[in-house]
């Protein structure tokens, strides 16, 4: 059943088609000397591609300074050849005017993501080159100043303020994403190296039919999630080497009212043959109010430490559902927790009533060298227990706590060793000293 469902999803994922028409970005005036502002050249190339039905835009080796974002058009492949570096300017004013976007699960207008596309088809970024957000001196310092904007965005969400009135940008300190494709379909992101993102690295928002393959990361600035699918369907993430300052993959689906109103789950997501390194390997939530379903995590391993391997997080503010989650044949080294599912994330919303349905989770053939806190954790609520979860062939060499389950129903463990393997029992001997104890 699992394999049939997975393969039926894979059959629907094709990604983008690369246009045959090739243009060199240097023919539009770009110069890879690290000094000249190449944004006008990229703007010119995109404008011409829009008029001519698309193009394959090739960026040869060199450092291309960009004083502002690249805004894609449909039917464009941007190829960054080996040795090519897109280096974005750190000054926030270059990323104005505001564009339609989303921030932590709330729709609004904000600074433009550095690479951005809205309502497009057939778009791709490929090659062995580098995308350098260069955000360390400005955007990466903003988190301590974001509270006002963050809270206002959430108030507007909960009050259902019309999205066209939710204007942020200067003075609100909400960091833009490095790459965001919003309401797009037929997307391929392959091969490139990503570093120094201002916020989330790749945000796939209300998009579908996507392949993320062979990407490489060294993205350790604040909240540098690797890939964040949100309201997104039919997505393949494979052969990626993560090294992120936050979650490697964080599957989201809107915060609270915006999620319920959108009512479009994140679904049909396959993550396979990846190396995890960073805060968490794969996260579902916590902004997931429209629901997450049909997620397959297969044949993955680790490139270093992760705080948690698989992390499902929600609370009674969110509602929605998390269901039909399959984890198969994955290996981890040292983690704090191997598998952690909680309906009480951050202790928030405990006086609210938007409980999340968390159920139908299948974990098989998973190993871990050390879980310093806990191997398996399930935390439901009394109103909505976590139910129908199966752990099979889960082996953890060392564990602080083997398992901790609360408010759960219909949990099955089969052939699991949490904290080591117990062999043949010892027989009674004089060493037992039974009568002197």
């Amino acid at each position: 059943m699992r394999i049939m469902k997975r393969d039926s999803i894979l059959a629907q994922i094709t990604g983008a088609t690369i246009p045959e028409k090739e243009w060199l970005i240097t023919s539009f005036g770009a110069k890879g000397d690290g000094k000249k502002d190449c944004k006008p050249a990229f703007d010119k190339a995109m404008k011409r591609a829009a008029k001519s039905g698309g193009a394959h835009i090739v960026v040869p080796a060199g450092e291309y300074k960009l004083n502002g974002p690249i805004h894609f058009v449909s039917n464009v492949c941007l190829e960054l050849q080996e040795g090519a570096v897109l280096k974005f300017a750190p000054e926030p004013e270059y990323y104005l005017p505001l564009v339609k976007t989303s921030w932590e699960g709330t729709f609004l207008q904000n600074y433009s993501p550095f690479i951005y596309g809205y309502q497009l088809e057939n778009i791709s970024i490929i090659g062995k080159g580098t995308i350098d957000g260069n955000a360390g001196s400005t955007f990466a310092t903003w988190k301590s100043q974001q509270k006002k904007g963050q809270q206002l965005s959430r108030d507007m969400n909960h009050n259902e303020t019309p999205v066209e009135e939710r204007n942020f940008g200067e003075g609100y300190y909400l960091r833009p994403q490095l790459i965001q494709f919003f309401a797009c379909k037929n997307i391929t992101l392959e091969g490139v190296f990503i570093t120094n993102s201002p916020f989330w690295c790749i945000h796939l928002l209300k998009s579908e039919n996507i392949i993320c393959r062979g990407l490489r990361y060294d993205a350790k600035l604040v909240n540098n999630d690797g890939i964040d699918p949100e309201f997104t369907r039919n997505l393949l993430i494979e052969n990626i080497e993560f090294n992120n300052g936050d979650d490697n993959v964080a599957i989201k689906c809107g915060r609270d009212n915006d999620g319920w109103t959108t009512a479009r789950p994140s679904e049909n997501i396959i993550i396979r043959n990846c190396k995890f390194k960073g805060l968490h390997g794969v996260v579902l939530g916590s902004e997931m109010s429209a629901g997450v379903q049909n997620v397959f995590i297969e044949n993955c391993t680790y490139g270093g430490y992760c705080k948690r391997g698989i992390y499902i997080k929600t609370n009674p503010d969110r509602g929605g559902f998390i269901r039909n989650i399959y984890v198969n044949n994955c290996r981890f080294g040292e983690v704090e927790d191997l598998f952690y599912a909680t309906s009480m994330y951050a202790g928030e919303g405990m006086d609210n009533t938007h409980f999340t349905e968390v159920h139908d989770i299948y974990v098989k053939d998973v190993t871990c060298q050390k879980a310093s806190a806990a191997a398996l954790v399930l935390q439901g609520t009394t109103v909505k227990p976590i139910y129908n979860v199966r752990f099979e062939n889960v082996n953890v060499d060392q564990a602080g706590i083997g398992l901790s389950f609360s408010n759960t129903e219909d949990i099955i463990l089969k052939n699991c060793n949490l904290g080591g393997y117990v062999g043949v029992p010892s027989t009674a001997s004089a060493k037992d000293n039974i009568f002197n104890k």
Side-chain angles (χ1 to χ4, degrees), residues 211-231:
I211 296 174
C212 295
R213 175 184 290 136
L215 302 170
R216 298 159 294 136
Y217 289 88
D218 186 14
K220 298 173 184 172
L221 298 182
V222 181
N223 299 124
N224 275 195
D225 291 9
I227 301 173
D228 292 79
E230 185 165 16
F231 303 111

Side-chain angles (χ1 to χ4, degrees), residues 24 34 58 66 92 118 192 201 209 217 226 281 289 306 329 388 421:
L24 279 173
V58 178
L66 285 148
Y118 178 64
V192 295
C201 295
N209 186 22
Y217 289 88
S289 298
C306 288
N329 191 34
N388 197 19
Y421 178 80

